[in-house]
Amino acid sequence: MYIILRYLSKQLLVSMLAVAGVLLLIFMSGRFIKYLADAAAGQLSADVLFAIMGYRLPGFLELILPLGMFIGILLAYGRMYLESEMTVLFACGMTKWQLIKLTMATAGLVALVVGFMSLYLSPWGMQKVEQIFIDQSKMTEFEMLVPGRFQSLRSGERVTYTEALSDDKREMQNVFIAERDEAKGSIAVLAAQRGTQLVDDKTGSRFIVLHQGARYEGVPGDLDYRVIDYDSYGVKIAEPTQGAKRSKAEAIPTRELWKSDDPEDRALLQWRISIPLLVPIVALLAIPLSRVNPRQGRFFHLLPAMLIYILYLGLLIACRKNIEKERLPEWIGMWWVHILFLLVALSLMFGPDWLQKRRVQRAQA
């Protein structure tokens, strides 16, 4: 039996990791592109992108691993049915209960990993991500500049461009700054060969000091532009907005959710507990759904199986929203969804044998 356990576990884990790897690549690529666009717009520093993605990784995996486990069982056992390996195992004396126990051993290990991520690792990662966003919001315009890009700063009131920027972000080369005065309807354009950052010792205010350049100011469409040539010209850098720390729900530690009476926190707590509970139930669902008729093809069973999984996850999400809005009592919560799909899994597993037994009893009677 140990040899069979090792063989089945290997088949499940290989299939699960392959599916989870593909799904992780898809989800993380989409999120990384979003953060990359923010960095290109000057809203994030490029240095923190990989740190953000690393801290977000557990949050992706806690949702991907249950789906990977479900599809992995469908693919692995489906192949074994097509190649008659399951038929040989059952002919050698293995029962359905033994197949369930062997599958649940692997599913239990995955559930423990998912539970650790859902209850502890993912909230910790989100706290780190939130702290990075707060630190980024405190950075000045000068520190957010990216060489070779026109960047809209100060809520679109200023557009800044620099051809090159020193490693310590203290000096710029070939600088262009355009500012809009909404009250006057005018635009001021400054161009300079280089720019440096200056901090006033008395007030602590920061300035971009432009050297060897010119300033052009006027109203678009008019001819009375004012041109000023200068050796040095100071432009004040807007002070960073400190802002209160955002209390994003996903970043709240699980131990605080236990103590909270807020409906949103209680709903989130049930959601975090439901994610690891999802793993053994979908594994039990996948065992009967993986049974394939060789004439139907290897992937014929995937569509109805995925519809069941989507319905399961959709009901959990709907319950979470209703608990948050106090439309659903907390004691009912998401537990009825797990019980319902556990009964569905058991009926799919043992229902056909029970019906067959009843037919035989009626025929003998």
Side-chain angles (χ1 to χ4, degrees):
M1 190 59 66
Y2 173 74
I3 297 176
I4 298 175
L5 171 62
R6 189 173 61 180
Y7 178 72
L8 291 179
S9 299
K10 180 181 178 181
Q11 296 298 315
L12 292 184
L13 290 176
V14 169
S15 299
M16 183 193 74
L17 292 176
V19 173
V22 174
L23 294 175
L24 183 63
L25 182 62
I26 294 173
F27 281 102
M28 291 196 70
S29 297
R31 182 61 62 176
F32 184 73
I33 290 173
K34 178 183 179 298
Y35 290 144
L36 198 61
D38 292 340
Q43 300 175 11
L44 282 175
S45 175
D47 299 336
V48 302
L49 292 182
F50 288 103
I52 292 175
M53 295 305 299
Y55 288 129
R56 290 296 306 272
L57 182 61
F60 291 122
L61 286 176
E62 72 177 30
L63 295 175
I64 289 174
L65 287 180
L67 179 57
M69 184 74 188
F70 183 68
I71 298 178
I73 294 175
L74 294 175
L75 294 178
Y77 286 4
R79 181 194 62 78
M80 294 177 69
Y81 275 109
L82 284 175
E83 297 178 2
S84 301
E85 291 185 31
M86 280 295 184
T87 304
V88 173
L89 289 175
F90 286 124
C92 292
M94 188 178 73
T95 64
K96 285 186 177 181
W97 278 112
Q98 290 175 328
L99 178 61
I100 292 173
K101 291 179 182 178
L102 295 174
T103 306
M104 287 298 108
T106 304
L109 178 62
V110 176
L112 289 176
V113 174
V114 172
F116 177 71
M117 290 181 179
S118 176
L119 295 174
Y120 301 103
L121 202 56
S122 294
W124 172 82
M126 284 304 302
Q127 288 178 11
K128 295 295 185 181
V129 171
E130 288 300 298
Q131 187 59 51
I132 290 175
F133 285 146
I134 291 171
D135 293 340
Q136 291 292 300
S137 69
K138 295 179 181 179
M139 296 178 69
T140 64
E141 298 178 15
F142 200 95
E143 294 168 315
M144 297 298 293
L145 287 176
V146 178
R149 293 185 181 275
F150 287 91
Q151 293 180 237
S152 178
L153 304 172
R154 288 176 53 183
S155 303
E157 296 177 4
R158 176 185 294 170
V159 175
T160 305
Y161 172 88
T162 178
E163 184 177 288
L165 186 63
S166 62
D167 294 337
D168 60 359
K169 295 192 174 184
R170 292 287 179 178
E171 185 171 346
M172 303 181 292
Q173 299 294 330
N174 294 330
V175 186
F176 169 90
I177 298 177
E179 292 184 303
R180 178 187 296 275
D181 189 331
E182 295 291 346
K184 298 179 181 179
S186 63
I187 295 178
V189 177
L190 297 96
Q193 294 182 12
R194 66 187 186 93
T196 57
Q197 184 177 190
L198 175 67
V199 180
D200 191 320
D201 295 333
K202 295 182 179 179
T203 63
S205 300
R206 299 188 181 189
F207 298 86
I208 298 176
V209 181
L210 305 178
H211 305 276
Q212 289 87 45
R215 184 177 190 271
Y216 308 88
E217 183 179 4
V219 178
D222 293 347
L223 300 178
D224 56 343
Y225 271 76
R226 187 169 57 169
V227 181
I228 302 174
D229 294 322
Y230 54 82
D231 290 329
S232 62
Y233 186 93
V235 179
K236 187 176 181 179
I237 302 175
E239 295 296 327
T241 56
Q242 298 296 324
K245 184 175 180 179
R246 293 182 295 171
S247 56
K248 195 169 183 178
E250 287 77 6
I252 301 175
T254 302
R255 62 179 179 274
E256 294 185 13
L257 297 179
W258 281 104
K259 302 175 183 177
S260 175
D261 294 327
D262 185 86
E264 293 186 4
D265 292 344
R266 304 304 296 178
L268 179 58
L269 177 62
Q270 288 201 21
W271 173 260
R272 289 183 182 176
I273 297 174
S274 293
I275 296 300
L277 285 178
L278 188 69
V279 177
I281 296 177
V282 297
L284 193 61
L285 273 168
I287 295 174
L289 291 173
S290 65
R291 192 180 296 114
V292 179
N293 187 330
R295 297 180 180 180
Q296 295 176 338
R298 183 176 179 180
F299 303 104
F300 179 79
H301 60 305
L302 287 181
L303 179 59
M306 289 306 302
L307 291 176
I308 293 176
Y309 185 90
I310 292 172
L311 179 61
Y312 191 174
L313 196 61
L315 286 175
L316 290 177
I317 295 173
C319 287
R320 177 181 174 179
K321 293 185 179 298
N322 282 284
I323 296 173
E324 289 176 352
K325 298 178 180 178
E326 299 184 349
R327 297 175 182 171
L328 185 67
E330 184 184 340
W331 64 272
I332 296 178
M334 304 179 188
W335 317 124
W336 71 272
V337 180
H338 296 296
I339 295 173
L340 172 63
F341 280 88
L342 178 60
L343 294 176
V344 171
L346 293 175
S347 64
L348 290 174
M349 178 65 70
F350 300 104
D353 291 341
W354 182 80
L355 291 175
Q356 180 64 25
K357 185 177 179 180
R358 293 287 297 175
R359 292 193 191 99
V360 172
Q361 290 176 349
R362 289 176 182 175
Q364 292 177 349

